Amino acid sequence: MKLDLIPQIKHTNSNNFFLLSGPCAIEGEDMALRIAEKIVSVTDALKIPYVFKGSFKKANRSRVDSFTGIGDEKALKILRKVSETFHVPTVTDIHTNEDAERAAQYVDILQIPAFLVRQTDLVVAAAKTGKVVNLKKGQFMSPESMQHAVTKVTDSKNQQVMVTDRGTMFGYQDMVVDFRGIPTMKQFAPVVLDVTHSLQQPNQSSGVTGGRPDMIETIARAGIVTGADGIFMETHFDPANAKSDGANMLHLNYLEGLLTNLVSIRKTVNLL
């Protein structure tokens, strides 16, 4: 499947990877616009096709008192404002069939969370909106099995589908990336590597997910070398105080340097 089947992801430099990036969750309008403005300035300079990412709500949380959102409609309107202000497509997670229809009115790409990617009704509901569908590979699933998730979208008369690898469970409290999965899944759809979620350390006794942000560049570099079409990274100007997934986010200050290195690697790979 060719990337040109996903018209929302465009750029004159078609040989580059594309980027899905932003905060884990929409915490407010000012923070979303601030993060988007910085990423747009960097990706424009580096000619990286860019999609702003932000969850309008967080349905999968370790503890009942964890932050879940600022209100569905409010967050979705912020996503729309980001898109209109910076002229970039947006992506958000959905968790129910009703979410699919609602979010499709505001964003360009509907993302199926890894824990929900086997929920047929949810995948089909997303596909039937006509939006691009981003299927996150379940931490418990093989790369080969994602072909069936892709088929659920294409059988729903929607060819705009991509797959995101976000690591595989390793024991109870760690994730690993099997880079063999990238070329495997590229047989079915464009493939994105979710760098930051692949470095989570879930199921901590505190009920707050940990992470290894020091390994972000290592995993991202490997993803580019092994042929990922896109890179997914959550970023924030203050990860320590982010309301969700701060432990494995990239600090916004480090984004430009990292992306510059990844573009250089991609150019080298393209020459091979």
Side-chain angles (χ1 to χ4, degrees):
M1 184 174 294
K2 302 295 185 182
L3 280 174
D4 57 12
L5 292 177
I6 303 179
Q8 284 87 342
I9 303 173
K10 294 180 178 178
H11 204 285
T12 54
N13 187 349
S14 59
N15 290 323
N16 215 343
F17 60 91
F18 60 89
L19 177 71
L20 282 66
S21 188
C24 179
I26 299 297
E27 302 170 11
E29 182 176 306
D30 289 344
M31 67 82 69
L33 293 172
R34 178 178 172 185
I35 293 171
E37 182 177 26
K38 175 63 176 179
I39 303 176
V40 167
S41 68
V42 172
T43 53
D44 278 355
L46 294 172
K47 296 182 172 58
I48 299 172
Y50 172 54
V51 180
F52 178 84
K53 183 271 168 184
S55 296
F56 76 96
K57 68 178 176 182
K58 301 299 296 181
N60 174 29
R61 308 297 283 144
S62 298
R63 295 178 3 185
V64 71
D65 60 348
S66 296
F67 173 80
T68 57
I70 60 174
D72 295 357
E73 198 77 11
K74 184 177 180 180
L76 286 167
K77 286 180 177 178
I78 290 171
L79 284 163
R80 175 187 282 168
K81 184 165 184 178
V82 167
S83 181
E84 292 173 348
T85 301
F86 299 105
H87 308 291
V88 294
T90 53
V91 56
T92 199
D93 307 270
I94 60 170
H95 304 87
T96 67
N97 295 5
E98 293 74 22
D99 282 350
E101 185 175 352
R102 181 190 313 156
Q105 299 175 51
Y106 295 90
V107 303
D108 304 285
I109 303 173
L110 300 178
Q111 182 166 282
I112 308 299
F115 283 126
L116 298 177
V117 76
R118 288 196 55 168
Q119 297 296 108
T120 300
D121 288 350
L122 179 61
V123 173
V124 170
K128 287 185 175 179
T129 67
K131 296 290 183 175
V132 177
V133 179
N134 183 23
L135 301 167
K136 284 205 158 184
K137 185 183 79 67
Q139 301 93 321
F140 45 87
M141 293 174 66
S142 70
E144 291 81 3
S145 66
M146 286 302 294
Q147 180 176 6
H148 305 299
V150 170
T151 300
K152 291 175 184 179
V153 177
T154 57
D155 280 357
S156 300
K157 298 181 172 58
N158 186 342
Q159 299 298 315
Q160 299 187 110
V161 57
M162 55 187 175
V163 175
T164 294
D165 194 335
R166 49 96 70 241
T168 301
M169 285 300 300
F170 185 72
Y172 289 113
Q173 295 177 323
D174 210 354
M175 309 289 296
V176 296
V177 178
D178 180 355
F179 288 98
R180 297 173 300 177
I182 293 177
T184 297
M185 292 188 294
K186 284 183 69 169
Q187 298 174 69
F188 323 137
V191 174
V192 179
L193 176 62
D194 181 346
V195 176
T196 48
H197 285 106
S198 295
L199 293 168
Q200 280 185 333
Q201 293 178 319
N203 304 322
Q204 301 296 313
S205 58
S206 64
V208 178
T209 297
R212 289 289 308 274
D214 57 299
M215 296 294 292
I216 287 174
E217 181 151 1
T218 299
I219 298 299
R221 284 171 174 252
I224 295 298
V225 169
T226 49
D229 299 295
I231 294 292
F232 180 114
M233 285 189 291
E234 290 183 341
T235 184
H236 198 287
F237 49 78
D238 187 10
N241 290 302
K243 296 184 181 297
S244 178
D245 277 4
N248 52 275
M249 273 192 200
L250 177 73
H251 196 293
L252 194 59
N253 288 348
Y254 302 142
L255 183 70
E256 183 173 6
L258 172 57
L259 292 179
T260 299
N261 290 341
L262 297 183
V263 168
S264 296
I265 294 170
R266 181 59 177 254
K267 287 180 179 177
T268 301
V269 170
N270 287 343
L271 293 174
L272 297 177

Short mmCIF file of all heavy atoms in Angstrom, two decimals, residues 169-201:
data_model
loop_
_atom_site.label_atom_id
_atom_site.label_comp_id
_atom_site.label_asym_id
_atom_site.label_seq_id
_atom_site.Cartn_x
_atom_site.Cartn_y
_atom_site.Cartn_z
N MET A 169 4.82 -6.49 25.13
CA MET A 169 5.06 -6.72 26.55
C MET A 169 6.22 -7.67 26.76
O MET A 169 6.32 -8.71 26.11
CB MET A 169 3.81 -7.28 27.23
CG MET A 169 2.71 -6.26 27.45
SD MET A 169 3.20 -4.85 28.50
CE MET A 169 3.65 -5.66 30.03
N PHE A 170 7.09 -7.30 27.68
CA PHE A 170 8.25 -8.13 28.04
C PHE A 170 8.18 -8.31 29.55
O PHE A 170 8.53 -7.40 30.31
CB PHE A 170 9.54 -7.43 27.62
CG PHE A 170 10.78 -8.24 27.84
CD1 PHE A 170 11.06 -9.34 27.05
CD2 PHE A 170 11.68 -7.90 28.84
CE1 PHE A 170 12.20 -10.08 27.24
CE2 PHE A 170 12.82 -8.64 29.04
CZ PHE A 170 13.09 -9.74 28.25
N GLY A 171 7.69 -9.46 29.98
CA GLY A 171 7.43 -9.63 31.39
C GLY A 171 6.23 -8.79 31.79
O GLY A 171 5.33 -8.53 31.00
N TYR A 172 6.20 -8.35 33.04
CA TYR A 172 5.06 -7.60 33.54
C TYR A 172 5.24 -6.09 33.47
O TYR A 172 4.26 -5.36 33.44
CB TYR A 172 4.78 -7.98 35.01
CG TYR A 172 4.22 -9.36 35.19
CD1 TYR A 172 4.96 -10.34 35.82
CD2 TYR A 172 2.95 -9.69 34.72
CE1 TYR A 172 4.46 -11.62 36.00
CE2 TYR A 172 2.43 -10.96 34.89
CZ TYR A 172 3.19 -11.92 35.53
OH TYR A 172 2.69 -13.19 35.70
N GLN A 173 6.47 -5.60 33.46
CA GLN A 173 6.69 -4.16 33.63
C GLN A 173 7.64 -3.56 32.62
O GLN A 173 8.35 -2.59 32.92
CB GLN A 173 7.19 -3.88 35.05
CG GLN A 173 6.17 -4.22 36.13
CD GLN A 173 6.70 -4.01 37.52
OE1 GLN A 173 7.87 -4.25 37.80
NE2 GLN A 173 5.85 -3.53 38.42
N ASP A 174 7.67 -4.10 31.43
CA ASP A 174 8.58 -3.55 30.43
C ASP A 174 8.03 -3.81 29.03
O ASP A 174 7.17 -4.66 28.83
CB ASP A 174 9.98 -4.15 30.57
CG ASP A 174 11.08 -3.19 30.14
OD1 ASP A 174 10.75 -2.10 29.63
OD2 ASP A 174 12.26 -3.53 30.31
N MET A 175 8.57 -3.04 28.07
CA MET A 175 8.21 -3.19 26.67
C MET A 175 9.48 -3.39 25.85
O MET A 175 10.54 -2.86 26.21
CB MET A 175 7.50 -1.93 26.15
CG MET A 175 6.34 -1.44 26.99
SD MET A 175 4.91 -2.50 26.89
CE MET A 175 4.49 -2.31 25.17
N VAL A 176 9.38 -4.14 24.77
CA VAL A 176 10.47 -4.25 23.81
C VAL A 176 9.91 -4.04 22.41
O VAL A 176 8.73 -4.26 22.16
CB VAL A 176 11.19 -5.62 23.87
CG1 VAL A 176 11.87 -5.81 25.21
CG2 VAL A 176 10.22 -6.75 23.58
N VAL A 177 10.77 -3.59 21.50
CA VAL A 177 10.38 -3.45 20.09
C VAL A 177 11.06 -4.55 19.29
O VAL A 177 12.29 -4.69 19.33
CB VAL A 177 10.79 -2.07 19.53
CG1 VAL A 177 10.40 -1.98 18.05
CG2 VAL A 177 10.12 -0.95 20.32
N ASP A 178 10.26 -5.34 18.60
CA ASP A 178 10.79 -6.34 17.68
C ASP A 178 10.82 -5.68 16.30
O ASP A 178 9.79 -5.56 15.63
CB ASP A 178 9.89 -7.57 17.67
CG ASP A 178 10.39 -8.66 16.72
OD1 ASP A 178 11.38 -8.41 16.01
OD2 ASP A 178 9.77 -9.73 16.69
N PHE A 179 11.98 -5.21 15.89
CA PHE A 179 12.09 -4.45 14.65
C PHE A 179 11.82 -5.29 13.41
O PHE A 179 11.63 -4.74 12.32
CB PHE A 179 13.45 -3.75 14.57
CG PHE A 179 13.57 -2.61 15.53
CD1 PHE A 179 14.20 -2.78 16.75
CD2 PHE A 179 13.02 -1.37 15.23
CE1 PHE A 179 14.30 -1.72 17.65
CE2 PHE A 179 13.11 -0.32 16.11
CZ PHE A 179 13.74 -0.50 17.33
N ARG A 180 11.77 -6.61 13.56
CA ARG A 180 11.36 -7.45 12.43
C ARG A 180 9.92 -7.16 12.03
O ARG A 180 9.51 -7.41 10.91
CB ARG A 180 11.50 -8.93 12.81
CG ARG A 180 12.91 -9.38 13.11
CD ARG A 180 12.94 -10.81 13.63
NE ARG A 180 12.16 -10.95 14.87
CZ ARG A 180 11.98 -12.11 15.50
NH1 ARG A 180 12.51 -13.23 15.00
NH2 ARG A 180 11.28 -12.17 16.62
N GLY A 181 9.15 -6.61 12.98
CA GLY A 181 7.74 -6.34 12.70
C GLY A 181 7.51 -5.23 11.70
O GLY A 181 6.47 -5.19 11.04
N ILE A 182 8.46 -4.31 11.58
CA ILE A 182 8.26 -3.18 10.67
C ILE A 182 8.19 -3.65 9.22
O ILE A 182 7.19 -3.38 8.53
CB ILE A 182 9.33 -2.10 10.88
CG1 ILE A 182 9.12 -1.46 12.26
CG2 ILE A 182 9.28 -1.04 9.78
CD1 ILE A 182 10.15 -0.41 12.64
N PRO A 183 9.19 -4.38 8.70
CA PRO A 183 9.04 -4.85 7.31
C PRO A 183 7.90 -5.86 7.15
O PRO A 183 7.28 -5.92 6.09
CB PRO A 183 10.40 -5.50 7.00
CG PRO A 183 11.03 -5.76 8.33
CD PRO A 183 10.53 -4.70 9.25
N THR A 184 7.61 -6.61 8.19
CA THR A 184 6.48 -7.55 8.11
C THR A 184 5.18 -6.81 7.90
O THR A 184 4.39 -7.13 7.00
CB THR A 184 6.40 -8.41 9.39
OG1 THR A 184 7.58 -9.20 9.51
CG2 THR A 184 5.17 -9.32 9.35
N MET A 185 4.92 -5.81 8.73
CA MET A 185 3.63 -5.10 8.64
C MET A 185 3.56 -4.17 7.44
O MET A 185 2.46 -3.82 7.00
CB MET A 185 3.37 -4.34 9.95
CG MET A 185 3.12 -5.28 11.13
SD MET A 185 2.59 -4.46 12.66
CE MET A 185 4.06 -3.53 13.08
N LYS A 186 4.70 -3.77 6.89
CA LYS A 186 4.68 -2.94 5.68
C LYS A 186 4.10 -3.69 4.48
O LYS A 186 3.75 -3.08 3.48
CB LYS A 186 6.09 -2.43 5.35
CG LYS A 186 6.54 -1.30 6.25
CD LYS A 186 7.91 -0.76 5.88
CE LYS A 186 7.88 -0.03 4.56
NZ LYS A 186 9.12 0.72 4.30
N GLN A 187 3.97 -5.00 4.59
CA GLN A 187 3.31 -5.76 3.54
C GLN A 187 1.79 -5.49 3.53
O GLN A 187 1.13 -5.73 2.53
CB GLN A 187 3.54 -7.25 3.76
CG GLN A 187 4.99 -7.68 3.70
CD GLN A 187 5.16 -9.14 4.06
OE1 GLN A 187 4.73 -10.03 3.31
NE2 GLN A 187 5.74 -9.41 5.21
N PHE A 188 1.26 -4.99 4.67
CA PHE A 188 -0.17 -4.79 4.79
C PHE A 188 -0.57 -3.33 4.67
O PHE A 188 -1.66 -3.02 4.18
CB PHE A 188 -0.70 -5.30 6.14
CG PHE A 188 -0.06 -6.55 6.66
CD1 PHE A 188 0.28 -6.67 7.99
CD2 PHE A 188 0.20 -7.62 5.81
CE1 PHE A 188 0.86 -7.83 8.49
CE2 PHE A 188 0.79 -8.78 6.28
CZ PHE A 188 1.12 -8.88 7.63
N ALA A 189 0.30 -2.42 5.16
CA ALA A 189 -0.08 -1.00 5.26
C ALA A 189 1.17 -0.20 5.60
O ALA A 189 2.18 -0.76 6.03
CB ALA A 189 -1.13 -0.80 6.35
N PRO A 190 1.12 1.14 5.42
CA PRO A 190 2.21 1.98 5.93
C PRO A 190 2.38 1.74 7.43
O PRO A 190 1.39 1.54 8.15
CB PRO A 190 1.72 3.40 5.65
CG PRO A 190 0.77 3.25 4.51
CD PRO A 190 0.09 1.93 4.73
N VAL A 191 3.63 1.79 7.90
CA VAL A 191 3.92 1.45 9.29
C VAL A 191 4.57 2.63 10.01
O VAL A 191 5.50 3.26 9.50
CB VAL A 191 4.84 0.22 9.38
CG1 VAL A 191 5.26 -0.05 10.83
CG2 VAL A 191 4.13 -1.00 8.83
N VAL A 192 4.06 2.90 11.20
CA VAL A 192 4.58 3.94 12.08
C VAL A 192 5.20 3.27 13.29
O VAL A 192 4.69 2.25 13.78
CB VAL A 192 3.44 4.88 12.54
CG1 VAL A 192 3.95 5.96 13.48
CG2 VAL A 192 2.74 5.50 11.33
N LEU A 193 6.30 3.81 13.79
CA LEU A 193 6.88 3.33 15.04
C LEU A 193 6.57 4.34 16.13
O LEU A 193 6.99 5.50 16.05
CB LEU A 193 8.39 3.12 14.92
CG LEU A 193 9.07 2.71 16.23
CD1 LEU A 193 8.53 1.36 16.73
CD2 LEU A 193 10.58 2.65 16.07
N ASP A 194 5.84 3.90 17.13
CA ASP A 194 5.55 4.73 18.30
C ASP A 194 6.72 4.61 19.27
O ASP A 194 6.81 3.64 20.03
CB ASP A 194 4.23 4.28 18.94
CG ASP A 194 3.86 5.11 20.15
OD1 ASP A 194 4.70 5.87 20.66
OD2 ASP A 194 2.71 5.00 20.61
N VAL A 195 7.60 5.58 19.21
CA VAL A 195 8.84 5.50 19.98
C VAL A 195 8.59 5.64 21.48
O VAL A 195 9.11 4.85 22.28
CB VAL A 195 9.81 6.59 19.50
CG1 VAL A 195 11.08 6.58 20.35
CG2 VAL A 195 10.15 6.40 18.03
N THR A 196 7.80 6.62 21.87
CA THR A 196 7.69 6.90 23.31
C THR A 196 6.88 5.84 24.06
O THR A 196 7.25 5.44 25.17
CB THR A 196 7.10 8.30 23.55
OG1 THR A 196 5.94 8.50 22.75
CG2 THR A 196 8.12 9.37 23.18
N HIS A 197 5.78 5.35 23.46
CA HIS A 197 5.03 4.31 24.16
C HIS A 197 5.79 2.98 24.19
O HIS A 197 5.56 2.16 25.08
CB HIS A 197 3.66 4.11 23.52
CG HIS A 197 2.69 5.19 23.86
ND1 HIS A 197 2.31 6.16 22.95
CD2 HIS A 197 2.03 5.49 25.00
CE1 HIS A 197 1.47 7.00 23.53
NE2 HIS A 197 1.28 6.61 24.76
N SER A 198 6.68 2.79 23.24
CA SER A 198 7.50 1.58 23.24
C SER A 198 8.48 1.57 24.40
O SER A 198 9.08 0.53 24.71
CB SER A 198 8.27 1.45 21.92
OG SER A 198 7.39 1.27 20.84
N LEU A 199 8.66 2.71 25.03
CA LEU A 199 9.59 2.83 26.16
C LEU A 199 8.88 2.96 27.49
O LEU A 199 9.48 3.32 28.50
CB LEU A 199 10.51 4.04 25.93
CG LEU A 199 11.47 3.86 24.75
CD1 LEU A 199 12.14 5.17 24.37
CD2 LEU A 199 12.52 2.80 25.08
N GLN A 200 7.59 2.65 27.49
CA GLN A 200 6.85 2.64 28.75
C GLN A 200 7.32 1.49 29.64
O GLN A 200 7.78 0.45 29.16
CB GLN A 200 5.35 2.47 28.49
CG GLN A 200 4.63 3.73 28.08
CD GLN A 200 3.13 3.50 27.97
OE1 GLN A 200 2.68 2.39 27.72
NE2 GLN A 200 2.37 4.57 28.14
N GLN A 201 7.14 1.70 30.93
CA GLN A 201 7.29 0.63 31.92
C GLN A 201 5.98 0.57 32.71
O GLN A 201 5.83 1.24 33.73
CB GLN A 201 8.50 0.90 32.82
CG GLN A 201 9.82 0.82 32.06
CD GLN A 201 11.02 1.13 32.91
OE1 GLN A 201 10.99 2.05 33.72
NE2 GLN A 201 12.09 0.37 32.72
#
